[in-house]
Amino acid sequence: MNRKIFISELALLSIGIASAHAQSATEAVKPNVLFILADDLGWMDLGCYGSSFYETPNIDQLSKEGVRFTNAYAACPVSSPTRASFQTGKYPARLHLTDYIPGGYSVPSRKEIIDATCPVLPVDFVQNMPLSEFTIAEALRLEGYRTAHVGKWNCSVDSLTYPQYQGYDINIAGCNKGGPGKDGYFSPYHNPYLTDGPKGEYLTDRLGDECIKILRNFKDKPFFINLPFYQVHTPLLAKPEKVKYFEEKARKMGLLSLETFDTNPEWKRKQPYQDSTRMERILQSNAIYAAMIASMDENVGRIIDELKRLGLYENTIIIFTSDNGGLATSEGSPTSNRPLRGGKGFTYEGGIREPLIVRMSDMKGAGSSCDSIVTSTDYYPTILEMTGSKLRPEQHLDGISLLPLLEGKQRVHRDAVYWHYPHYSNQGGRPSGAVRMGNYKLIQFYDTGEIELYDLPADLSEQNNLKMEKPEIAQKLLQMLDDWRKSVDADMPVKNARVND
């Protein structure tokens, strides 16, 4: 098998022809599904969520035609666990896949620091999403859907657990790469599942092109396309003409260039876990990052235009979200999640609260917002219910369908949503767990045992710790978090003998 491309264009054409012959009247009315996942996109990184610097006209238009969720969460503050939670409908703690793959502890220099200075040691975790999990793609394929994965996978290191072995008929660009690599936003891509394009071709445009090709070949039969862009993961690389545009916009808006942490008023000192110089960006002004967002938005628009040209738009469910919060505390800190606290790698809201837009035909609440609490495990049962497919409650154990919310109805009651991140993140986050029930959110830090309690509607920036004022609520949520961890057999960090002795 040629590992460079999982399926050839000739095979794609054959699939399209076969699909047309096999199509039945029942299949023709099944809605298509396009799931778009941005990488490291923060809650405030879209125009429709309040950004005045970034420009996202196509996604903003999607929001006007769909429902915009204001309390949507990723299941983890880093990438791989959230991606696995969508594929399986299970919390990362239940899967024992709790950090990005391969994980920060695998880096010798970071392991040295953690071993020498940190009070607890991070847990070992699963490096491959198990083949025994029955993914959303496998469920839809049994319902007669053609399935394709286009973009970042990062749910495994073993090539025998890549998308083509997890229910996807086509795998383009999906492998163990957590980011595009040093120069990977421009061809050559150095990706075993994506052939190089002309020199200088931009990765995000290429993924848009590949998605459009698949739309044309899948148009005669229901399809599910998983489109996880590599955008806006580092390295920060964008088209020069777009960067120039946003540099000029930043100048006109009076935004300062962010060259240093020390003297710039657009940075604010963070509470340290190891590094007392840890800073958090509090203003959006990075022209390269803005240009990257603009390219992603442009390709979302191109794909929507193709759906319309093919007459498929009205029968296609589109879900747009992100895998974790925006990068605001390290690696160049290209964005700000304010008013949310923290960013990627933290269980504060900036690390886990996400943009989420859902659009389907004949929506009663089109153009509205929804403040119900949802998380990434919910997309699996939502897609099954929206497509009239068989629900698989034994698989999507931790998800609850959003369809009633989209229809303006009451959803099945959920007591709370949970997070478990027993690792030190590259971005400065400490091992912790969290639970949100109604207005209240509790965070427990595993290295010290300290807890923080916040009333989020009253304190979105998580500045006023209520653990002393509301001890009963704090104790209740702490007990719920502990009970939940036991129920999913969560792996807990252990004390570091070198530091504690």
Side-chain angles (χ1 to χ4, degrees):
M1 181 191 296
N2 182 356
R3 284 295 194 180
K4 292 286 184 185
I5 310 174
F6 177 64
I7 191 163
S8 68
E9 288 190 10
L10 180 60
L12 278 171
L13 181 61
S14 300
I15 288 171
I17 295 169
S19 297
H21 287 305
Q23 179 182 357
S24 69
T26 303
E27 290 173 332
V29 298
K30 279 181 171 287
N32 308 305
V33 181
L34 173 62
F35 186 85
I36 306 172
L37 185 68
D39 191 356
D40 291 357
L41 188 78
W43 189 61
M44 292 293 292
D45 285 353
L46 304 175
C48 55
Y49 277 84
S51 178
S52 59
F53 183 59
Y54 309 142
E55 296 182 10
T56 53
N58 294 295
I59 298 171
D60 295 349
Q61 181 59 37
L62 190 68
S63 176
K64 291 176 183 176
E65 298 177 22
V67 172
R68 180 176 62 91
F69 287 79
T70 59
N71 279 294
Y73 288 99
C76 189
V78 294
S79 175
S80 303
T82 298
R83 292 166 187 273
S85 76
F86 161 59
Q87 295 294 331
T88 64
K90 293 178 180 176
Y91 278 122
R94 192 186 294 276
L95 297 169
H96 304 283
L97 200 168
T98 49
D99 201 3
Y100 80 91
I101 295 170
Y105 199 56
S106 65
V107 179
S109 59
R110 277 184 52 76
K111 184 179 187 303
E112 238 176 70
I113 294 170
I114 291 170
D115 287 350
T117 65
C118 293
V120 296
L121 299 177
V123 304
D124 291 330
F125 66 99
V126 170
Q127 296 277 312
N128 297 294
M129 189 176 78
L131 290 173
S132 57
E133 296 294 331
F134 197 76
T135 67
I136 179 64
E138 290 172 307
L140 289 173
R141 195 156 66 174
L142 280 186
E143 299 283 341
Y145 278 75
R146 297 302 297 169
T147 59
H149 172 96
V150 184
K152 175 175 172 175
W153 177 244
N154 200 213
C155 288
S156 52
V157 293
D158 186 346
S159 61
L160 294 179
T161 59
Y162 284 175
Q164 64 268 34
Y165 301 107
Q166 301 272 16
Y168 291 96
D169 300 320
I170 298 171
N171 172 25
I172 295 173
C175 57
N176 63 348
K177 291 170 73 75
K182 183 180 178 183
D183 302 310
Y185 275 112
F186 292 96
S187 183
Y189 302 116
H190 308 291
N191 185 315
Y193 290 90
L194 184 67
T195 54
D196 292 332
K199 185 177 180 181
E201 179 187 64
Y202 196 54
L203 175 61
T204 311
D205 294 341
R206 174 64 179 278
L207 295 182
D209 291 343
E210 296 291 348
C211 186
I212 287 169
K213 286 180 189 176
I214 292 169
L215 289 177
R216 292 171 182 170
N217 282 282
F218 280 7
K219 62 184 173 61
D220 296 318
K221 193 173 181 182
F223 60 77
F224 165 55
I225 299 176
N226 183 40
L227 178 61
F229 285 109
Y230 281 90
Q231 221 90 328
V232 283
H233 197 285
T234 55
L236 299 186
L237 293 168
K239 295 180 176 179
E241 65 274 16
K242 290 190 184 296
V243 176
K244 184 177 179 182
Y245 169 83
F246 283 102
E247 286 175 342
E248 179 62 17
K249 182 175 182 178
R251 187 190 66 78
K252 289 179 179 178
M253 292 177 68
L255 302 175
L256 300 175
S257 174
L258 297 176
E259 298 299 330
T260 69
F261 293 155
D262 299 326
T263 60
N264 202 297
E266 294 179 10
W267 295 86
K268 182 177 180 179
R269 192 169 297 279
K270 277 292 294 179
Q271 295 179 359
Y273 82 99
Q274 289 172 283
D275 182 359
S276 61
T277 64
R278 183 73 61 174
M279 312 288 275
E280 179 184 350
R281 187 183 185 121
I282 62 172
L283 185 67
Q284 296 177 344
S285 62
N286 188 300
I288 302 175
Y289 189 82
M292 294 175 74
I293 290 176
S295 284
M296 180 177 64
D297 179 80
E298 185 179 85
N299 280 279
V300 170
R302 291 177 59 224
I303 292 164
I304 288 174
D305 286 346
E306 185 65 16
L307 285 169
K308 290 177 178 177
R309 190 188 72 80
L310 294 170
L312 300 173
Y313 185 61
E314 289 306 320
N315 194 41
T316 300
I317 296 161
I318 301 177
I319 300 173
F320 178 93
T321 189
S322 180
D323 62 346
N324 49 248
L327 190 56
T329 63
S330 71
E331 300 163 70
S333 305
T335 195
S336 172
N337 302 304
R338 292 286 166 150
L340 305 185
R341 180 176 179 179
K344 177 181 179 179
F346 291 80
T347 49
Y348 290 119
E349 292 293 285
I352 54 177
R353 193 182 289 217
E354 306 303 327
L356 169 63
I357 299 165
V358 182
R359 191 264 179 200
M360 62 182 185
S361 61
D362 301 322
M363 293 189 71
K364 292 183 180 179
S368 66
S369 62
C370 177
D371 63 0
S372 291
I373 299 168
V374 304
T375 189
S376 47
T377 58
D378 294 340
Y379 305 140
Y380 191 139
T382 297
I383 290 170
L384 292 185
E385 191 168 15
M386 291 173 88
T387 57
S389 301
K390 177 185 175 183
L391 292 174
R392 300 180 178 276
E394 73 289 348
Q395 174 61 51
H396 46 78
L397 284 171
D398 301 311
I400 299 177
S401 174
L402 309 181
L403 184 58
L405 297 176
L406 299 170
E407 295 177 336
K409 301 174 184 176
Q410 195 71 26
R411 193 168 69 148
V412 175
H413 176 71
R414 160 188 269 148
D415 63 343
V417 292
Y418 300 89
W419 294 267
H420 178 62
Y421 186 62
H423 307 277
Y424 294 95
S425 76
N426 296 349
Q427 300 76 30
R430 297 156 54 192
S432 63
V435 53
R436 179 168 180 189
M437 181 181 69
N439 291 346
Y440 291 100
K441 176 184 167 189
L442 178 135
I443 303 174
Q444 180 186 28
F445 292 97
Y446 298 149
D447 53 349
T448 63
E450 64 188 304
I451 64 170
E452 297 178 4
L453 176 69
Y454 300 103
D455 179 348
L456 291 179
D459 180 22
L460 188 58
S461 298
E462 296 174 291
Q463 297 299 307
N464 184 23
N465 185 357
L466 300 175
K467 69 174 183 178
M468 302 303 291
E469 293 178 41
K470 298 184 180 291
E472 299 88 357
I473 294 174
Q475 185 55 45
K476 178 180 179 180
L477 291 181
L478 186 62
Q479 187 62 56
M480 288 175 64
L481 180 59
D482 187 53
D483 290 344
W484 170 78
R485 282 193 297 253
K486 291 174 182 174
S487 74
V488 298
D489 191 27
D491 300 311
M492 294 296 290
V494 296
K495 285 186 177 183
N496 184 353
R498 287 179 63 182
V499 173
N500 290 287
D501 286 353

